[in-house]
Amino acid sequence: MGSRKWAVEFTDNSSTPSTRDIPDPPGFTRVPHDQDDSTLSRQKKDAEANWKSQKAWEVAQAPFKNLMMMGFMMWMAGSTVHLFSIGITFSALWQPLSALQGVGKVFAPYKDSKVDLLAPKLLFIALNLGGMLLGVWKLNALGLLPTHASDWVSSLPPAREVEYSGGGIALH
């Protein structure tokens, strides 16, 4: 060390990393000197393509959460026609429609020659179409869809009601 009392020598005289007392930090891997840069770059590109594929699948499955939330909100809105139920229903129609218009933009960050985006895009489209079907079903449940000929032509009699309700107590 020398004659100085507080001097520290930082040179590493060991020939192999296994003789060192300090282990490598987590996530650090030593690269052998015989491995060339092309192998490293190929491994990096493969890891990046794997990451992009995984993220594309996560983005493709994201509408499922929205579908469940929207279904719960529609159930909570009830089956009567009022401002809240109509707003929720049109939101259920608008959100998937706007998502379907931007499919290309949603998956643009994950576009790569090694990543196949067809299956994630199809899943994304299918889940958003399911959301639109949920909105159309709610419109029908609210009675806002024209499903009978009398809804289009005013001279035709309206459709017969299939269900009647009544109440009261009959005293005998």
Side-chain angles (χ1 to χ4, degrees):
M1 274 260 205
S3 64
R4 287 193 257 167
K5 188 175 182 180
W6 296 101
V8 177
E9 189 174 334
F10 290 108
T11 57
D12 185 12
N13 296 331
S14 63
S15 61
T16 61
S18 62
T19 60
R20 304 178 88 190
D21 294 335
I22 302 170
D24 290 335
F28 178 79
T29 56
R30 293 193 180 269
V31 179
H33 294 288
D34 60 346
Q35 195 174 19
D36 59 346
D37 290 338
S38 65
T39 307
L40 285 175
S41 65
R42 187 177 68 237
Q43 287 176 348
K44 269 185 158 180
K45 287 180 183 177
D46 289 344
E48 183 179 352
N50 188 22
W51 178 83
K52 285 182 178 182
S53 176
Q54 185 179 12
K55 290 297 178 182
W57 277 107
E58 288 177 14
V59 168
Q61 294 171 357
F64 182 73
K65 296 174 189 173
N66 189 25
L67 190 68
M68 291 293 135
M69 180 193 65
M70 194 58 65
F72 177 72
M73 289 175 60
M74 282 189 213
W75 176 71
M76 291 297 290
S79 61
T80 59
V81 178
H82 51 81
L83 187 61
F84 184 69
S85 64
I86 292 173
I88 292 293
T89 305
F90 283 112
S91 174
L93 292 169
W94 182 255
Q95 286 177 357
L97 185 64
S98 62
L100 287 173
Q101 289 175 343
V103 172
K105 291 178 187 175
V106 169
F107 288 98
Y110 312 111
K111 192 172 186 179
D112 193 354
S113 61
K114 294 182 178 183
V115 178
D116 182 25
L117 293 177
L118 180 64
K121 282 183 180 182
L122 288 175
L123 178 64
F124 184 80
I125 290 169
L127 289 174
N128 279 301
L129 287 176
M132 287 184 69
L133 286 175
L134 189 65
V136 170
W137 171 80
K138 183 65 173 181
L139 280 176
N140 187 35
L142 292 173
L144 298 176
L145 282 183
T147 56
H148 192 267
S150 65
D151 293 332
W152 298 97
V153 181
S154 62
S155 62
L156 294 176
R160 280 188 20 160
E161 292 294 326
V162 179
E163 189 176 308
Y164 295 99
S165 66
I169 301 174
L171 298 174
H172 294 274

